Amino acid sequence: MLRTVRSCIFVGKFNMESPHGPMNSIKLWPPSQTTRLLLVNRIVKHFTTPSILSRKYGLLTKEEVEEEAKQIESTGFLAATQQFEKDPESDGGSSVQVYAKESSKLMVEFIKTGPRPKEERETVPELTKSDHVFDISGAHVAASVLSGVKDKLTEVDLSDIVSRRPEPEAVEVMKMFSSALEGCGLSYLNLSNNGLGEKGVIAFGDLLRSQGNLVELYLMNAGISPEAAKAVCELIPSTNKLKVLHFHHNKTGDEGAIAISQLVKGSPNLEDFRCSSTRVGSVGGVALAEALKTCTLLKKLDLRDNTFGPKAGVALSNNLSVHANLTEIYLSYLNLENEGTIAIANALKTSKSALEIIEMAGNKITFKAANALADCMVSKKHSLTKINLSENELKDEGAIAIGKALEDDFGRLCIVDLSANGLRSDGAMSLAKAVSGKLGFRLLNINGNFLSYKGIEGVKEIFKNFPRMLGPLDENDPHGEGDDDEDGRDNFNELKSKQKE
């Protein structure tokens, strides 16, 4: 396994298979002599062929750089070996990091102070590097190391490797990694946090085209526009083995969601699908809902923070019955309203899934959907651990219906969140009484509502023997939203001070 993360360049290990079964974990350090020679040749080629650096400093001849390239590699190897000797039981990941960084630094120093007279060289700002972001020189070194071990790699994390780089340089770096890793048989690939866009996805084309056995694919905060989504779908030859597919915080939109839906349709083994904060509306939501019916092994579904609307909610409900393995469903901030919510609640109620987590916050749900939600909860009473219906409009009538349902035997329930629902004392008391005596219960959140002073004291009294189970109440407004009564505010502020004490 090889991963690049924020705190380092390469971390992890990989496994090598033999004809007689799996061998012990193989260390990344030291590299073979062939890999070291490959790096020397790559350094020579870097200095003698056109590149971003050559446009600033000019090209060198092979004779001028051959000996220097050997010295750079040797110095980098020595520094990395010293790092490895500090922890010889490690897999060598940190040594590969030192090898790449030290060689990269020496390459930049040499090109700036090379054999040409100083007065002939252009003065340019210092090239910057971070622990996880690659410039052209660093990418050359890392790509050389990768190409020597790629046949042994099963997991690669290339997230956040070109942050703040100019687009031409970023694209070139991505192409280097893509070319170096082309053909490796990966089960895990993470390209998140690179602002890919269509150009970035295409830059990783060699790598993506060679991956037919991916099990996990992550494209979060990666600039996945509609065009980029289409490119991903066109480049990956097969997702038949895919179990985890995460898109998050992208500008995918309806058109991109339609493209992603084709990827989902081709992933019958999908267990964990996330397409949250991707600006997907009703059309895209319906397309994803239809595609998910092929994913009968789905365990976790996260579609939060999109603008699906009721129609997409109903479309999703039509296919939930096939997800018998579903344990977590995150449908907050989708504008489902009562229509979509009731359809989904009824579908979950009749499904065979042992649902553990249900989140439907911020969906404009009123008391009219409360009975359907309550029935759904009771149907999953043996498995539910968390219920989040915050930032809706259930009010007392809805809270009382749900509270009555929660009086049943919910053996695993830990968290109930009905904050910011316009509740007053009756609704809050109903919820408090329903959950306060449950073994293993951890938190009731009813903050941001309209509980009276007496109601707050009543709820606190119910939880007097286990106060940690009751969330803060400092944002409740006993007079309703926007009240300007000075005495009321003074009394409430005094109450909040006592709570803090």
Side-chain angles (χ1 to χ4, degrees):
M1 179 175 76
L2 176 141
R3 297 191 177 186
T4 59
V5 294
R6 292 182 180 275
S7 60
C8 58
I9 295 179
F10 299 116
V11 179
K13 59 187 177 182
F14 51 82
N15 293 317
M16 184 171 71
E17 299 290 328
S18 77
H20 305 290
M23 298 176 62
N24 293 330
S25 177
I26 307 299
K27 292 183 179 293
L28 283 171
W29 195 263
S32 67
Q33 191 61 35
T34 300
T35 299
R36 295 185 63 188
L37 181 60
L38 180 64
L39 176 56
V40 172
N41 293 336
R42 182 63 66 89
I43 294 173
V44 171
K45 183 178 179 181
H46 178 66
F47 288 139
T48 58
T49 56
S51 68
I52 289 178
L53 283 180
S54 71
R55 290 199 292 271
K56 296 177 179 178
Y57 298 103
L59 290 173
L60 300 176
T61 66
K62 186 177 181 181
E63 292 73 21
E64 288 176 316
V65 300
E66 276 189 329
E67 289 304 315
E68 187 66 30
K70 293 177 183 178
Q71 184 61 42
I72 288 172
E73 188 282 330
S74 179
T75 303
F77 179 82
L78 177 61
T81 299
Q82 291 173 342
Q83 170 67 29
F84 183 70
E85 289 173 351
K86 295 178 182 178
D87 186 13
E89 298 303 316
S90 72
D91 53 32
S94 59
S95 298
V96 176
Q97 172 189 352
V98 172
Y99 190 43
K101 291 180 69 175
E102 185 67 18
S103 300
S104 173
K105 181 186 74 173
L106 294 172
M107 287 171 67
V108 174
E109 290 176 355
F110 174 68
I111 194 64
K112 290 182 177 181
T113 61
R116 292 167 295 141
K118 185 175 181 180
E119 60 268 21
E120 294 181 8
R121 297 195 303 271
E122 179 185 359
T123 301
V124 297
E126 185 75 18
L127 290 177
T128 59
K129 276 180 64 64
S130 73
D131 286 341
H132 60 278
V133 177
F134 290 87
D135 59 13
I136 295 293
S137 300
H140 269 300
V141 176
S144 298
V145 176
L146 284 175
S147 63
V149 299
K150 70 177 182 180
D151 291 340
K152 304 178 181 70
L153 300 178
T154 59
E155 303 192 12
V156 170
D157 186 335
L158 297 175
S159 59
D160 201 15
I161 62 170
V162 292
S163 293
R164 301 175 300 281
R165 291 293 176 193
E167 183 181 281
E169 184 178 359
V171 170
E172 186 63 27
V173 167
M174 289 186 277
K175 285 181 178 178
M176 290 181 193
F177 279 102
S178 178
S179 178
L181 293 167
E182 180 184 6
C184 57
L186 301 180
S187 62
Y188 172 105
L189 178 61
N190 192 340
L191 301 178
S192 301
N193 300 312
N194 281 312
L196 299 176
E198 184 182 16
K199 290 182 180 179
V201 171
I202 293 174
F204 278 116
D206 290 343
L207 173 60
L208 293 173
R209 272 190 292 265
S210 63
Q211 301 308 310
N213 296 305
L214 284 175
V215 176
E216 299 181 47
L217 176 61
Y218 298 86
L219 290 162
M220 300 186 290
N221 192 32
I224 302 300
S225 62
E227 295 76 18
K230 292 176 184 177
V232 171
C233 298
E234 292 169 358
L235 288 169
I236 298 179
S238 173
T239 55
N240 189 57
K241 296 182 179 180
L242 201 64
K243 292 184 178 181
V244 180
L245 177 59
H246 279 203
F247 291 87
H248 170 68
H249 199 256
N250 289 301
K251 298 179 180 179
T252 309
D254 281 347
E255 190 176 349
I258 292 171
I260 292 171
S261 69
Q262 298 305 309
L263 204 64
V264 173
K265 283 182 181 178
S267 308
N269 290 301
L270 197 62
E271 296 179 0
D272 181 351
F273 178 57
R274 183 179 187 183
C275 192
S276 53
S277 300
T278 47
R279 303 188 181 184
V280 177
S282 181
V283 174
V286 170
L288 290 173
E290 289 294 325
L292 284 167
K293 67 183 178 182
T294 65
C295 307
T296 57
L297 302 179
L298 197 67
K299 296 179 180 179
K300 182 177 179 180
L301 177 62
D302 187 348
L303 300 172
R304 284 175 285 189
D305 194 21
N306 287 297
T307 55
F308 279 19
K311 183 177 180 180
V314 172
L316 181 62
S317 73
N318 292 334
N319 301 313
L320 284 176
S321 61
V322 304
H323 302 310
N325 298 312
L326 192 65
T327 58
E328 301 178 32
I329 188 165
Y330 301 89
L331 304 176
S332 297
Y333 309 105
L334 293 177
N335 293 331
L336 296 175
E337 301 180 4
N338 287 333
E339 181 184 0
T341 299
I342 291 171
I344 289 170
N346 288 338
L348 290 173
K349 180 180 70 173
T350 58
S351 73
K352 297 180 180 179
S353 63
L355 197 63
E356 297 176 6
I357 297 174
I358 179 168
E359 290 200 5
M360 299 181 75
N363 276 302
K364 301 179 182 177
I365 304 170
T366 74
F367 69 90
K368 293 181 179 179
N371 287 331
L373 287 169
D375 290 344
C376 172
M377 293 171 193
V378 171
S379 73
K380 308 299 178 187
K381 64 182 180 181
H382 298 303
S383 57
L384 270 178
T385 62
K386 180 179 179 180
I387 300 166
N388 183 356
L389 296 171
S390 62
E391 298 185 45
N392 283 300
E393 302 165 15
L394 287 165
K395 300 190 176 179
D396 273 2
E397 188 173 350
I400 290 170
I402 290 172
K404 185 176 181 179
L406 294 181
E407 292 174 1
D408 213 323
D409 182 19
F410 283 73
R412 300 183 60 197
L413 190 62
C414 297
I415 298 173
V416 173
D417 189 344
L418 264 78
S419 57
N421 262 281
L423 307 188
R424 295 189 181 275
S425 298
D426 288 347
M429 294 285 284
S430 176
L431 292 169
K433 291 176 181 177
V435 301
S436 61
K438 294 188 181 302
L439 186 66
F441 189 80
R442 295 205 312 266
L443 179 66
L444 172 65
N445 185 3
I446 49 175
N447 209 6
N449 286 301
F450 304 144
L451 277 65
S452 67
Y453 308 127
K454 184 176 180 181
I456 290 174
E457 290 298 334
V459 170
K460 290 174 63 179
E461 178 65 21
I462 292 172
F463 285 92
K464 65 180 180 181
N465 294 327
F466 19 77
R468 292 184 180 180
M469 292 184 185
L470 180 62
L473 298 169
D474 57 330
E475 294 180 6
N476 273 288
D477 183 351
H479 300 293
E481 193 171 3
D483 185 84
D484 292 323
D485 182 80
E486 293 293 340
D487 293 335
R489 273 206 304 271
D490 291 341
N491 291 337
F492 192 50
N493 288 335
E494 182 181 350
L495 179 62
K496 288 196 291 184
S497 297
K498 291 181 179 178
Q499 289 173 347
K500 291 178 180 178
E501 293 171 2

